[in-house]
mmCIF file of all heavy atoms in Angstrom:
data_model
loop_
_atom_site.group_PDB
_atom_site.id
_atom_site.type_symbol
_atom_site.label_atom_id
_atom_site.label_comp_id
_atom_site.label_asym_id
_atom_site.label_seq_id
_atom_site.Cartn_x
_atom_site.Cartn_y
_atom_site.Cartn_z
ATOM 1 N N TYR A 173 -75.255 26.902 -43.832
ATOM 2 C CA TYR A 173 -75.761 25.660 -44.426
ATOM 3 C C TYR A 173 -74.734 24.928 -45.283
ATOM 4 O O TYR A 173 -74.637 23.705 -45.225
ATOM 5 C CB TYR A 173 -77.032 25.947 -45.243
ATOM 6 C CG TYR A 173 -78.186 26.311 -44.350
ATOM 7 C CD1 TYR A 173 -78.333 27.603 -43.853
ATOM 8 C CD2 TYR A 173 -79.114 25.340 -43.957
ATOM 9 C CE1 TYR A 173 -79.368 27.926 -42.994
ATOM 10 C CE2 TYR A 173 -80.157 25.652 -43.108
ATOM 11 C CZ TYR A 173 -80.275 26.948 -42.629
ATOM 12 O OH TYR A 173 -81.297 27.253 -41.780
ATOM 13 N N VAL A 174 -73.948 25.682 -46.060
ATOM 14 C CA VAL A 174 -73.025 25.013 -46.976
ATOM 15 C C VAL A 174 -71.664 24.773 -46.297
ATOM 16 O O VAL A 174 -71.227 23.644 -46.132
ATOM 17 C CB VAL A 174 -72.848 25.819 -48.287
ATOM 18 C CG1 VAL A 174 -71.911 25.074 -49.230
ATOM 19 C CG2 VAL A 174 -74.199 26.039 -48.957
ATOM 20 N N LEU A 175 -71.035 25.850 -45.855
ATOM 21 C CA LEU A 175 -69.697 25.707 -45.258
ATOM 22 C C LEU A 175 -69.764 25.314 -43.781
ATOM 23 O O LEU A 175 -68.771 24.870 -43.209
ATOM 24 C CB LEU A 175 -68.913 27.020 -45.404
ATOM 25 C CG LEU A 175 -68.700 27.493 -46.839
ATOM 26 C CD1 LEU A 175 -68.081 28.887 -46.864
ATOM 27 C CD2 LEU A 175 -67.790 26.521 -47.590
ATOM 28 N N LYS A 176 -70.931 25.534 -43.171
ATOM 29 C CA LYS A 176 -71.136 25.222 -41.744
ATOM 30 C C LYS A 176 -70.089 25.886 -40.853
ATOM 31 O O LYS A 176 -69.559 25.287 -39.908
ATOM 32 C CB LYS A 176 -71.171 23.709 -41.519
ATOM 33 C CG LYS A 176 -72.276 23.044 -42.337
ATOM 34 C CD LYS A 176 -72.486 21.601 -41.905
ATOM 35 C CE LYS A 176 -73.763 21.005 -42.455
ATOM 36 N NZ LYS A 176 -73.824 20.798 -43.883
ATOM 37 N N LEU A 177 -69.792 27.146 -41.179
ATOM 38 C CA LEU A 177 -68.863 27.928 -40.353
ATOM 39 C C LEU A 177 -69.558 28.348 -39.067
ATOM 40 O O LEU A 177 -68.941 28.542 -38.032
ATOM 41 C CB LEU A 177 -68.428 29.201 -41.088
ATOM 42 C CG LEU A 177 -67.624 29.042 -42.380
ATOM 43 C CD1 LEU A 177 -67.449 30.389 -43.066
ATOM 44 C CD2 LEU A 177 -66.264 28.433 -42.068
ATOM 45 N N LEU A 178 -70.886 28.523 -39.165
ATOM 46 C CA LEU A 178 -71.689 28.994 -38.028
ATOM 47 C C LEU A 178 -72.871 28.056 -37.842
ATOM 48 O O LEU A 178 -73.355 27.463 -38.806
ATOM 49 C CB LEU A 178 -72.243 30.403 -38.326
ATOM 50 C CG LEU A 178 -71.234 31.522 -38.552
ATOM 51 C CD1 LEU A 178 -71.943 32.781 -39.034
ATOM 52 C CD2 LEU A 178 -70.467 31.814 -37.264
ATOM 53 N N PRO A 179 -73.365 27.911 -36.576
ATOM 54 C CA PRO A 179 -74.543 27.076 -36.372
ATOM 55 C C PRO A 179 -75.761 27.667 -37.086
ATOM 56 O O PRO A 179 -75.872 28.884 -37.199
ATOM 57 C CB PRO A 179 -74.766 27.128 -34.854
ATOM 58 C CG PRO A 179 -73.554 27.743 -34.267
ATOM 59 C CD PRO A 179 -72.860 28.512 -35.347
ATOM 60 N N ARG A 180 -76.650 26.795 -37.547
ATOM 61 C CA ARG A 180 -77.892 27.274 -38.175
ATOM 62 C C ARG A 180 -78.656 28.141 -37.199
ATOM 63 O O ARG A 180 -78.749 27.815 -36.018
ATOM 64 C CB ARG A 180 -78.777 26.098 -38.559
ATOM 65 C CG ARG A 180 -78.214 25.374 -39.743
ATOM 66 C CD ARG A 180 -79.153 24.292 -40.207
ATOM 67 N NE ARG A 180 -78.448 23.517 -41.215
ATOM 68 C CZ ARG A 180 -78.990 22.522 -41.894
ATOM 69 N NH1 ARG A 180 -80.241 22.173 -41.658
ATOM 70 N NH2 ARG A 180 -78.295 21.872 -42.795
ATOM 71 N N GLY A 181 -79.192 29.244 -37.710
ATOM 72 C CA GLY A 181 -79.975 30.131 -36.844
ATOM 73 C C GLY A 181 -79.121 31.179 -36.145
ATOM 74 O O GLY A 181 -79.631 31.969 -35.359
ATOM 75 N N THR A 182 -77.818 31.217 -36.441
ATOM 76 C CA THR A 182 -76.976 32.254 -35.821
ATOM 77 C C THR A 182 -77.480 33.640 -36.206
ATOM 78 O O THR A 182 -77.569 34.526 -35.371
ATOM 79 C CB THR A 182 -75.496 32.118 -36.275
ATOM 80 O OG1 THR A 182 -75.005 30.843 -35.854
ATOM 81 C CG2 THR A 182 -74.624 33.207 -35.672
ATOM 82 N N HIS A 183 -77.802 33.787 -37.483
ATOM 83 C CA HIS A 183 -78.240 35.099 -37.964
ATOM 84 C C HIS A 183 -79.635 35.079 -38.545
ATOM 85 O O HIS A 183 -80.059 34.095 -39.144
ATOM 86 C CB HIS A 183 -77.242 35.623 -39.001
ATOM 87 C CG HIS A 183 -75.942 36.059 -38.392
ATOM 88 N ND1 HIS A 183 -74.741 35.463 -38.696
ATOM 89 C CD2 HIS A 183 -75.668 37.013 -37.461
ATOM 90 C CE1 HIS A 183 -73.788 36.052 -37.990
ATOM 91 N NE2 HIS A 183 -74.316 36.984 -37.236
ATOM 92 N N GLU A 184 -80.310 36.202 -38.357
ATOM 93 C CA GLU A 184 -81.664 36.367 -38.881
ATOM 94 C C GLU A 184 -81.603 37.483 -39.928
ATOM 95 O O GLU A 184 -81.237 38.627 -39.597
ATOM 96 C CB GLU A 184 -82.566 36.779 -37.716
ATOM 97 C CG GLU A 184 -84.029 36.579 -37.966
ATOM 98 C CD GLU A 184 -84.833 37.054 -36.763
ATOM 99 O OE1 GLU A 184 -84.443 36.709 -35.624
ATOM 100 O OE2 GLU A 184 -85.803 37.785 -36.983
#
Side-chain angles (χ1 to χ4, degrees):
Y173 290 81
V174 181
L175 300 172
K176 302 191 167 68
L177 296 172
L178 298 172
R180 287 185 188 184
T182 299
H183 288 118
E184 198 182 314

